[in-house]
Amino acid sequence: MLFRKKYERGLQIMHEKNRQYLEENAPQDTPKPDPDEMAEADEKLQAFREEEKLELEKGDLPAMILSAMLVFGPIILVLCGLLTVFWFLLH
């Protein structure tokens, strides 16, 4: 939950910085967007983000742990083997 709050806050900050950047660097001959249109676009964006949220299903956490072990396990075994070989060679 804490990660999700930080993630959402980061997205809000990024959205605001992007908006400020685009306003500062917009060509002078282009008209400014209508505030009503901007409010409508923000509402659509919030609705899209609400639909986007995914929850973990039953069994997802053990599957993620198992896949992480399958991915990183061989790497860790090789590193431990190399460490063992170097230990015997240096002592």
Side-chain angles (χ1 to χ4, degrees):
M1 287 307 226
L2 180 63
F3 175 73
R4 181 172 292 281
K5 289 179 184 178
K6 287 184 179 181
Y7 174 75
E8 292 293 328
R9 179 68 181 141
L11 284 177
Q12 290 173 353
I13 291 171
M14 184 178 66
H15 176 68
E16 181 62 24
K17 285 185 177 183
N18 286 343
R19 185 189 61 77
Q20 290 173 357
Y21 174 79
L22 290 174
E23 285 179 359
E24 290 173 2
N25 295 321
Q28 298 301 325
D29 58 347
T30 58
K32 296 286 182 185
D34 184 30
D36 294 333
E37 290 177 3
M38 290 297 290
E40 183 180 335
D42 284 339
E43 289 174 10
K44 288 181 181 179
L45 179 63
Q46 291 293 40
F48 175 74
R49 286 185 180 155
E50 291 295 323
E51 293 174 4
E52 185 179 286
K53 292 181 182 175
L54 298 176
E55 298 295 326
L56 290 178
E57 294 179 5
K58 182 179 177 183
D60 281 351
L61 187 61
M64 290 190 306
I65 292 170
L66 179 64
S67 64
M69 288 172 37
L70 289 173
V71 169
F72 295 113
I75 297 170
I76 292 171
L77 286 175
V78 167
L79 291 176
C80 289
L82 288 174
L83 184 64
T84 304
V85 168
F86 289 142
W87 178 264
F88 285 122
L89 291 176
L90 295 175
H91 282 97

